Amino acid sequence: MRMRSGAAIAGVAALAVTAMALNAVLEPVWAHGPTRQKVRESIEINAPQAKVWAALGNFQDMSWLPPVTKTEGEKGNEIGATRKLTLDGGATVEEELYKYEPDMLSYSYRITKVDVKVLPVTNYSSTLTVSPAPDGKAKVEWAGAFYRGFPNNDPPPELNDEAAKAAVSGLYKAGLEALKKKIESGS
């Protein structure tokens, strides 16, 4: 084993101290902004998959989602189709379909325009999928990925990661419950 001289050890120690000082100065530059958040909610519905897909699979119809009072759109279920959802109180959300797989009972869309006061998210995309569940039931899964409503560091509480996740999770749960009620009651 080779021994290092005192000067070599001092040089290594000085290099380490210099690196730590540089890191302290540069760390704010290297700090990253928000991280992508994900929410996944699901529900079992006492109905065959085909019946659930019939109620859910039309991108131009979000009448099953409680805050939606009106849906207007173009291009049906084609990739690139758009829809504008009008919510209770008059706020709107604009969305675009980017994946439609009726054979897989699934579609994916993104929000192209929303006020963060309505839904505290940015860069939101989502997928709705119907799959089999035990006893002839169907399982609906709604999964989304997004960033919080405030893109910079130190967001206000209403636009932070927790607020974004809570808002999306609450929307998904309410929507899935409403869909279940609509299908199971036959309305």
Side-chain angles (χ1 to χ4, degrees):
M1 185 162 116
R2 197 168 133 182
M3 300 294 287
R4 290 194 172 143
S5 70
I9 292 172
V12 169
L15 187 59
V17 168
T18 302
M20 287 189 306
L22 272 173
N23 190 39
V25 170
L26 294 176
E27 189 168 325
V29 174
W30 291 335
H32 63 82
T35 56
R36 194 136 173 95
Q37 303 298 307
K38 294 181 180 178
V39 169
R40 182 178 305 268
E41 299 291 345
S42 64
I43 197 165
E44 282 190 11
I45 299 176
N46 190 13
Q49 286 178 264
K51 183 175 182 179
V52 174
W53 180 248
L56 174 72
N58 179 4
F59 180 68
Q60 300 301 327
D61 180 12
M62 285 292 278
S63 63
W64 53 270
L65 188 60
V68 174
T69 59
K70 182 167 122 183
T71 305
E72 302 169 278
E74 297 179 355
K75 299 185 184 174
N77 292 323
E78 294 177 32
I79 302 303
T82 58
R83 68 182 176 197
K84 181 178 181 179
L85 307 176
T86 302
L87 311 177
D88 290 333
T92 60
V93 180
E94 295 179 22
E95 300 174 331
E96 178 183 31
L97 185 69
Y98 68 88
K99 189 183 224 180
Y100 190 79
E101 300 176 301
D103 53 324
M104 303 291 290
L105 307 182
S106 179
Y107 69 82
S108 301
Y109 65 96
R110 66 179 59 91
I111 290 178
T112 57
K113 185 177 178 185
V114 66
D115 185 336
V116 293
K117 292 175 189 159
V118 174
L119 189 63
V121 300
T122 58
N123 297 322
Y124 169 100
S125 62
S126 184
T127 300
L128 281 157
T129 305
V130 181
S131 60
D135 303 322
K137 296 178 182 179
K139 176 182 174 184
V140 178
E141 184 175 81
W142 200 351
F146 48 87
Y147 289 93
R148 66 183 179 224
F150 188 83
N152 300 318
N153 292 327
D154 303 318
E158 70 276 11
L159 297 176
N160 66 19
D161 290 340
E162 293 76 23
K165 286 170 62 174
V168 172
S169 181
L171 176 69
Y172 287 6
K173 287 177 182 177
L176 292 172
E177 286 291 336
L179 181 64
K180 176 182 175 77
K181 183 178 177 183
K182 174 182 177 169
I183 293 170
E184 290 182 356
S185 71
S187 61

